[in-house]
Amino acid sequence: MHTKSVAQLVKGLRERQFSSVDVTRAYLDRIDALDSQYNSFITVDDAAALTAAKAADERLANGTANALTGIPIAHKDIFCTDGMRTSCGSRMLDNFVPPYDATVIQRFKSAGAVLLGKTNMDEFAMGSSNESSFYGPARNPWSTDLVPGGSSGGSAAAVAGLLAPAATGTDTGGSIRQPAAFCGITGLKPTYGRVSRLGIVAFASSLDQAGPMARTAEDCALLLNTMAAHDPLDSTSSAVAAEDYTATLDDDLQGLRIGVPTEYFGEGLDTATGKCIDQALKELESQGAALVEMSLPHSALAIPTYYIIAPAEASTNLARFDGVRYGYRCENPTDLRDLYSRTRQEGFGEEVKRRILVGTYALSAGYYDAYYNKAQQIRRLIKQDFMHCFEQVDVIAGPTTPGPAFALGAKSNDPISMYLEDVYTLAVNLAGLPGMSLPAGFVEGKPVGLQLIGQHFGEARLLNVAHRFQRATDWHLHTPNSAKGGAL
Amino acid sequence: MQWETVIGLEVHLQLATQSKIFSGSATTFGAAPNTQASAVDLAMPGMLPVLNKKAVHYAVKFGLGIGAQISTRSVFDRKNYFYPDLPKGYQISQFEAPIVGKGSFEILMDDGSSRTIGITRAHLEEDAGKSLHEDFNNQTGIDLNRAGTPLLEIVSEPDIRSAAEAVAYLKALHSLVTYLGISDGNMAEGSMRCDVNISLRPIGSAALGTRTEIKNVNSFRFVEKAIHHEFQRQAEILEDGGKITQETRLYDADRDETRSMRSKEVANDYRYFPEPDLLPVVIDNTYIESIRQSLPELPAGKRSRFTSQYGLGLYDADVLSSSQPLADYFEVVAGVCGDAKIAANWVQGELLGQLNRAGGTLAKCPVSAAALGHLISRILDNTVSGKMAKQVFEAMWAGEGDADEIIKARGFLQVSDTGAIDAIVDDVLSANAAQVQQYLDADDAKRKKLVGFFVGQVMKLSKGKANPQVVNELLAKKLA
Amino acid sequence: MIPAPFKAVFNGYMTMAIEHGEIEKIAELSGIRISDEEIGQVTERIAEILQMVDQLQAVDTHNIEPMANPLDAIQRLRPDEVTEANRRDAFQAIAPAAENGLYLVPKVIE
């Protein structure tokens, strides 16, 4: 059961091969048996999941089921869930049980999907290795000595370890794509504004976007169908109509123009990883796509630009965590100042505090023009690079990361080398474009991710390319050995 | 040294919307603590703001009301600071690109002179919650009902030169915003709050002195007192050769003093930047024009119409146009009785006097404008004397009926019948022979004074009902 | 393993001299206490990050409009309607300190 894709589970539920309770119980049992290896979940409520599964089975029986009714889905612990702790991987929210659902959660609930549990993540989504979580790092199912990537590391590990058929993540600078690449799964960051941000604990408002993480592009399309919608309660949510993202999955790739940016293939890209990407591009070419070499000249600036804008927005988004209305509060504050500064000193971890300080600095008097304003100008240049390319190509392809997953602890004391992990993914967020990562091979047993970047609201095209690729390859079907033990 | 006061005012005006500026919470005043604070207002994780259309509409309306430039593209920014009544740790405000740009309006002083006060800008922002300092085990209680109430912050140029001008400015502003219907202007409930920026400079000097900002002065009277007090304080420092510290001060109405605010001691760096959860507000000229078309006649226009159409003096016109309901009331009274000047006197004298004594508002006034107009027309047609009419008015106020009923019931009908008055005049003249002689001996100037005695006696005997005009005519004839 | 186009990140940009004092001021604005033991390392790390982002200064951005939103979208307005009910009990059930409907904080001195 646990090796089935979401699409296969949907079919099985429809044909009464098994019930939602069967499926949900199977996954709960696997989590129970195997997650000590991965630490991919922060919170799992078996009883609530089974209650939802029973309700889903009723819907399946009485004909009111939707596409995802009865499918268990794991959610990154950044999505607020009514009545279930939403920690955001932080001590600050360790005790936070929101009395409301994020729009994304609401949409999954009303579709009848089962909330399987809340997955581990870098604290406040700040990190590329999942090591900044208050709950300890999640681990990579391909080798538990490796990081699963971050910040949606728990979701990636859970899907790769077959503890969930699919999961949600959020991606501010690569947080869906990079862990998807490291764990050998498929993940999509939609266009900024495609999926509602309401009820997602904010990191950087102009960059955050939620998306699906699953084993196949088809499963991502199924999830996106439920996630994508205009939300009148999110001012930045797009009014562009969502599509049926499964409708064009099988379209052929004849005449597709794929841009290959030289900047993403230079020195610094791990050679073996580069070979996998070249192979993947050849596969797409063999299906009729044309590869077009092109340039994104401002690529080098994505990291510094991002590391001003994201911390700046984060520094103020995280100001609400003050120990007054919810969350962590320090013991016996002597005065107001003490309440704030000690609550935040004790409630936030190192990386979060570091980014708040950098962001505060970048916005402070005398530095605003040199940092924040400058970064927003360069952000436009970065977006323009993409826009120019999209005059000639339909999608852009390249590596998701400079190399495969690294060892736990390898970079945890070197923030800048950690930041470099997102070197190919950050620009996509700065420009608000959709991007995805899909399995494209292995280097020494470690998965490699192919990144596809689309035009604004071009998710259907990306999923189509990815699906066609997956029809011809089986990288996405490989299963880590660690997930095979305890199979039920 | 002679000092000139330089004052700029920042008025925080709560806009009269049903819901908050960025959430669907109610804005009703006086609700139980935190019962009108939604997840958005409480800055719960993941909550996002969505802008209230009405708030934008009202801001534009205000801008048009002062002839200001309306920005077709305005931007919300975050103003960052920690305070327990500010749940997000930032206030959503407008910094670089406010919705209303430069404008101005005219204020009228008591001596009839007028001055134009420049408006630098007006921008939309959200109100903060309230800190309640009553003791909860030495803690402060936070009520966030007010958090997120839409505010229009109206910033004046430092064009104001005295406490009297500041008050006139605030009254004119109050009058304007209530005319526009964009705020209830209720100062007691904090719908209109004022920060005063004040500095002194030697008369004749062009340079501005160091200013202090006095926070939250919430009545016309306190504005006046706070300015007087702060003038004294600054003048004393300067006279002693001292320097003014640029700081935020709080006006303490109980002690009638201003004092430095400790909570604002930490030098603030608000780190303004564009609010990424909101997008630029873009409005087009069609929208602006449609609001312009819907603007009511504003106080200044009404005031000048009252002088030209009704022949009122500037002062009367100013008082009567100060609020829309009062102006409307006056116009009905004038229309019904046909004499605007007498109508103006009655509305300002009897009516406002009664309202003040009763502490009521026009909306709840027991005497309708038409009824008062009718009463005045009964004076004009000599049915009742002006003096008697005041008693009739009081009876009308007490709900005893309309003017005609009361005049009849109380026997206030004025006697204009020459025969009846003639007899009384004769009685008075014969009973006061000495005074008659005195009158006959006097010159013209003295006679004018003495005739009042006879009129008074006649009125007394007629129990006030004799038509004074008829009495005067008869006396003049008989004493000739 | 630094991709070539990104090497500039580590090339000889002058270290932004940021002092402990400045970090203390930033920490104050950020509402975060930093202990004396931590301040040295925190300052060092932030100096590294600032050095890394400083390469932006070399880019000519004359006449480039800053981009706050990736889609350059404009604000949608919501009708002025009350849509929220009173949920005080649910919200205050998760508050660290609330009494009589109020959130409590250490005494604020104006």
Side-chain angles (χ1 to χ4, degrees):
Chain A
M1 180 112 48
H2 59 275
T3 55
K4 292 188 193 307
S5 69
V6 172
Q8 288 164 339
L9 289 173
V10 167
K11 190 161 175 284
L13 287 169
R14 286 297 158 94
E15 292 171 356
R16 305 284 195 279
Q17 291 170 24
F18 40 77
S19 69
S20 174
V21 169
D22 296 337
V23 178
T24 303
R25 188 164 282 141
Y27 278 108
L28 290 171
D29 288 348
R30 282 188 61 82
I31 292 168
D32 197 38
L34 298 174
D35 199 38
S36 56
Q37 302 180 91
Y38 310 140
N39 193 27
S40 67
F41 282 88
I42 293 175
T43 304
V44 177
D45 182 341
D46 290 27
L50 289 168
T51 305
K54 275 190 200 104
D57 282 331
E58 280 165 31
R59 285 179 66 170
L60 285 159
N62 68 21
T64 58
N66 290 321
L68 292 181
T69 304
I71 305 295
I73 294 171
H75 296 287
K76 187 177 183 179
D77 207 19
I78 197 169
F79 293 89
C80 286
T81 43
D82 193 352
M84 183 182 277
R85 178 188 42 194
T86 301
S87 73
C88 219
S90 182
R91 182 185 190 191
M92 188 62 90
L93 292 177
D94 181 45
N95 63 357
F96 177 61
V97 180
Y100 51 88
D101 278 325
T103 298
V104 165
I105 299 295
Q106 237 172 40
R107 294 186 63 82
F108 276 115
K109 280 186 179 173
S110 53
V114 174
L115 199 170
L116 189 59
K118 304 292 292 292
T119 59
N120 204 347
M121 57 183 285
D122 278 298
E123 185 181 8
F124 284 101
M126 297 176 190
S128 306
S129 68
N130 218 294
E131 291 166 293
S132 73
S133 170
F134 175 60
Y135 302 93
R139 289 163 183 270
N140 193 320
W142 292 95
S143 162
T144 51
D145 294 337
L146 300 176
V147 301
S151 66
S152 310
S155 287
V159 172
L162 307 181
L163 304 188
T168 55
T170 58
D171 188 319
T172 304
S175 283
I176 286 175
R177 291 161 288 158
Q178 186 253 18
F182 278 13
C183 291
I185 65 162
T186 308
L188 168 68
K189 180 205 94 75
T191 307
Y192 181 79
R194 177 69 293 166
V195 173
S196 168
R197 293 188 297 117
L198 186 77
I200 299 173
V201 182
F203 163 12
S205 303
S206 76
L207 301 164
D208 294 347
Q209 185 60 204
M213 302 173 81
R215 301 226 302 290
T216 68
E218 183 185 20
D219 288 359
C220 285
L222 281 167
L223 262 70
L224 188 61
N225 274 357
T226 294
M227 298 174 81
H230 171 62
D231 184 353
L233 296 177
D234 171 2
S235 296
T236 60
S237 161
S238 174
V240 173
E243 304 163 46
D244 175 359
Y245 297 98
T246 61
T248 52
L249 284 175
D250 288 307
D251 288 4
D252 68 44
L253 304 185
Q254 283 301 328
L256 179 81
R257 296 164 304 167
I258 299 177
V260 183
T262 50
E263 289 81 0
Y264 285 36
F265 288 87
E267 185 193 337
L269 174 63
D270 167 60
T271 316
T273 300
K275 277 187 184 150
C276 291
I277 302 304
D278 288 341
Q279 276 302 315
L281 293 176
K282 286 208 179 77
E283 167 55 37
L284 293 172
E285 204 173 19
S286 76
Q287 291 192 36
L291 303 182
V292 183
E293 197 166 304
M294 38 156 274
S295 172
L296 295 167
H298 294 94
S299 291
L301 299 172
I303 293 181
T305 301
Y306 178 89
Y307 277 98
I308 290 172
I309 294 171
E313 292 184 5
S315 73
T316 96
N317 278 334
L318 270 59
R320 65 189 58 199
F321 302 105
D322 59 6
V324 176
R325 297 166 311 286
Y326 47 78
Y328 180 77
R329 181 187 190 123
C330 68
E331 293 280 339
N332 305 316
T334 54
D335 59 22
L336 195 59
R337 207 67 222 168
D338 187 47
L339 168 68
Y340 292 152
S341 65
R342 218 150 40 79
T343 293
R344 293 163 62 79
Q345 176 192 32
E346 295 163 12
F348 290 138
E350 291 309 309
E351 181 62 21
V352 170
K353 283 189 275 196
R354 189 150 48 228
R355 295 204 196 184
I356 290 174
L357 293 170
V358 168
T360 301
Y361 183 82
L363 290 174
S364 65
Y367 297 109
Y368 179 86
D369 285 336
Y371 288 105
Y372 188 76
N373 203 54
K374 188 89 180 177
Q376 294 286 41
Q377 289 176 310
I378 293 169
R379 183 178 187 180
R380 187 172 295 280
L381 295 176
I382 289 169
K383 182 187 167 185
Q384 281 170 358
D385 282 355
F386 281 109
M387 295 298 108
H388 291 149
C389 286
F390 282 126
E391 287 167 9
Q392 302 159 45
V393 302
D394 304 301
V395 300
I396 293 168
T400 306
T401 58
F406 50 88
L408 248 85
K411 302 188 179 195
S412 50
N413 287 316
D414 185 355
I416 291 187
S417 74
M418 188 75 86
Y419 295 173
L420 279 169
E421 274 306 307
D422 295 326
V423 68
Y424 302 130
T425 49
L426 296 174
V428 172
N429 298 75
L430 291 168
L433 298 166
M436 68 185 296
S437 180
L438 54 154
F442 289 86
V443 170
E444 294 164 4
K446 295 177 272 191
V448 167
L450 167 70
Q451 182 175 217
L452 298 174
I453 301 167
Q455 307 192 22
H456 288 125
F457 302 102
E459 287 81 4
R461 194 56 157 153
L462 288 187
L463 289 161
N464 160 230
V465 175
H467 181 66
R468 292 296 301 213
F469 180 79
Q470 292 183 337
R471 272 176 45 171
T473 59
D474 67 353
W475 304 117
H476 61 291
L477 298 177
H478 289 229
T479 304
N481 287 328
S482 68
K484 290 170 186 158
L488 296 156
Chain B
M1 180 98 60
Q2 289 284 324
W3 301 102
E4 180 179 51
T5 326
V6 177
I7 299 165
L9 298 179
E10 288 168 22
V11 171
H12 290 86
L13 185 75
Q14 286 187 341
L15 298 176
T17 55
Q18 297 301 306
S19 63
K20 292 188 178 176
I21 184 166
F22 299 123
S23 81
S25 302
T27 54
T28 321
F29 180 81
N34 291 308
T35 55
Q36 289 178 172
S38 69
V40 173
D41 310 319
L42 295 171
M44 289 283 173
M47 289 299 116
L48 296 170
V50 187
L51 181 58
N52 186 333
K53 191 177 196 164
K54 201 69 167 257
V56 173
H57 183 98
Y58 283 173
V60 171
K61 218 168 168 182
F62 174 79
L64 294 172
I66 58 162
Q69 202 47 247
I70 307 296
S71 308
T72 49
R73 186 177 188 280
S74 64
V75 175
F76 283 95
D77 298 283
R78 289 185 181 176
K79 179 183 182 180
N80 297 284
Y81 63 97
F82 284 100
Y83 207 68
D85 64 11
L86 189 72
K88 293 188 292 296
Y90 55 84
Q91 179 193 32
I92 304 177
S93 181
Q94 297 188 307
F95 185 57
E96 290 280 351
I99 188 157
V100 176
K102 271 189 190 301
S104 68
F105 71 93
E106 207 183 31
I107 59 168
L108 197 67
M109 303 303 296
D110 283 347
D111 64 5
S113 64
S114 70
R115 290 210 51 208
T116 300
I117 307 295
I119 303 289
T120 314
R121 57 184 282 165
H123 64 255
L124 284 167
E125 61 183 29
E126 57 183 338
D127 208 343
K130 281 181 185 165
S131 302
L132 304 170
H133 303 297
E134 295 89 54
D135 213 311
F136 299 94
N137 300 320
N138 209 30
Q139 300 190 82
T140 292
I142 307 296
D143 173 10
L144 296 169
N145 279 350
R146 197 178 68 176
T149 299
L151 290 181
L152 188 66
E153 179 173 335
I154 303 160
V155 183
S156 87
E157 294 284 320
D159 287 346
I160 297 165
R161 293 288 172 270
S162 67
E165 283 185 11
V167 171
Y169 168 83
L170 289 172
K171 285 187 171 167
L173 195 60
H174 183 272
S175 163
L176 177 71
V177 301
T178 50
Y179 261 71
L180 291 169
I182 63 173
S183 175
D184 64 16
N186 190 329
M187 293 182 87
E189 291 178 0
S191 300
M192 188 168 158
R193 311 194 295 271
C194 184
D195 298 342
V196 182
N197 286 298
I198 173 168
S199 64
L200 303 190
R201 64 181 172 195
I203 284 182
S205 160
L208 290 170
T210 304
R211 66 185 166 85
T212 57
E213 180 180 11
I214 312 170
K215 281 276 178 204
N216 273 335
V217 203
N218 296 332
S219 79
F220 295 140
R221 197 165 60 92
F222 290 162
V223 166
E224 196 157 11
K225 293 178 86 161
I227 290 173
H228 280 311
H229 173 86
E230 186 60 14
F231 174 84
Q232 288 298 338
R233 192 188 70 85
Q234 290 192 15
E236 272 166 33
I237 293 172
L238 293 169
E239 302 277 356
D240 289 350
K243 278 190 172 153
I244 305 299
T245 313
Q246 180 160 350
E247 62 180 350
T248 304
R249 301 180 68 85
L250 191 72
Y251 177 67
D252 184 334
D254 296 333
R255 298 186 193 170
D256 187 24
E257 62 173 28
T258 66
R259 58 186 149 86
S260 193
M261 281 178 84
R262 284 214 267 164
S263 60
K264 303 271 176 183
E265 260 171 27
V266 183
N268 266 320
D269 178 346
Y270 291 127
R271 290 159 284 138
Y272 284 101
F273 78 109
E275 160 61 295
D277 287 331
L278 290 168
L279 302 167
V281 180
V282 174
I283 51 180
D284 61 22
N285 286 317
T286 319
Y287 172 77
I288 296 171
E289 277 317 305
S290 73
I291 295 176
R292 196 195 302 278
Q293 294 308 317
S294 73
L295 286 185
E297 184 181 34
L298 296 175
K302 199 161 289 233
R303 186 172 65 214
S304 80
R305 181 167 63 80
F306 281 7
T307 58
S308 58
Q309 180 181 341
Y310 298 115
L312 299 183
L314 202 53
Y315 177 81
D316 289 352
D318 192 47
V319 171
L320 292 170
S321 62
S322 64
S323 93
Q324 178 96 51
L326 182 64
D328 290 349
Y329 191 101
F330 159 71
E331 293 209 74
V332 172
V333 175
V336 170
C337 76
D339 187 325
K341 285 184 183 168
I342 296 182
N345 288 339
W346 269 83
V347 169
Q348 291 179 83
E350 299 310 306
L351 180 85
L352 290 183
Q354 278 287 8
L355 275 178
N356 284 341
R357 280 192 289 281
T361 62
L362 261 190
K364 289 177 189 159
C365 175
V367 179
S368 74
L372 177 56
H374 183 69
L375 169 61
I376 297 170
S377 66
R378 285 289 175 259
I379 303 171
L380 296 172
D381 68 9
N382 291 326
T383 306
V384 69
S385 69
K387 200 174 164 191
M388 284 299 181
K390 288 178 185 174
Q391 292 182 42
V392 176
F393 179 74
E394 276 169 26
M396 288 165 71
W397 190 275
E400 291 177 24
D402 69 20
D404 289 341
E405 285 164 2
I406 294 165
I407 290 167
K408 200 175 159 199
R410 296 210 175 177
F412 284 166
L413 218 53
Q414 183 164 263
V415 179
S416 300
D417 169 30
T418 318
I421 297 175
D422 196 75
I424 299 172
V425 170
D426 287 345
D427 288 352
V428 167
L429 292 182
S430 60
N432 296 287
Q435 282 82 355
V436 172
Q437 194 52 52
Q438 204 179 340
Y439 176 91
L440 293 173
D441 294 345
D443 58 23
D444 269 5
K446 277 192 179 163
R447 281 186 175 186
K448 275 190 183 150
K449 286 179 188 164
L450 288 166
V451 78
F453 168 78
F454 301 112
V455 174
Q457 293 297 310
V458 174
M459 294 308 284
K460 195 174 163 189
L461 282 177
S462 75
K463 297 192 171 102
K465 287 187 236 169
N467 182 335
Q469 209 181 329
V470 177
V471 175
N472 272 312
E473 282 165 15
L474 286 172
L475 278 169
K477 209 192 297 171
K478 289 175 192 280
L479 288 167
Chain C
M1 198 169 63
I2 300 159
F6 308 101
K7 274 211 160 163
V9 170
F10 292 99
N11 287 347
Y13 284 91
M14 289 304 294
T15 308
M16 265 300 286
I18 183 158
E19 315 266 330
H20 287 193
E22 206 160 4
I23 290 293
E24 276 161 11
K25 196 189 96 195
I26 294 299
E28 170 80 19
L29 283 173
S30 303
I32 293 174
R33 186 173 168 271
I34 301 177
S35 67
D36 293 344
E37 302 84 69
E38 295 168 303
I39 188 89
Q41 211 200 359
V42 169
T43 307
E44 204 175 300
R45 285 284 159 77
I46 286 175
E48 284 167 20
I49 295 167
L50 293 176
Q51 180 191 351
M52 184 268 281
V53 299
D54 241 21
Q55 63 177 304
L56 294 186
Q57 306 315 325
V59 182
D60 179 10
T61 50
H62 188 64
N63 281 337
I64 304 291
E65 202 200 328
M67 188 177 83
N69 175 275
L71 300 179
D72 284 316
I74 62 168
Q75 181 62 32
R76 210 173 40 248
L77 303 175
R78 67 160 232 284
D80 180 26
E81 285 163 5
V82 175
T83 53
E84 296 288 339
N86 171 21
R87 298 191 62 202
R88 184 175 78 183
D89 291 348
F91 292 138
Q92 294 199 341
I94 56 170
E99 210 175 290
N100 299 327
L102 296 164
Y103 292 98
L104 298 185
V105 297
K107 192 141 192 88
V108 176
I109 302 146
E110 294 268 10

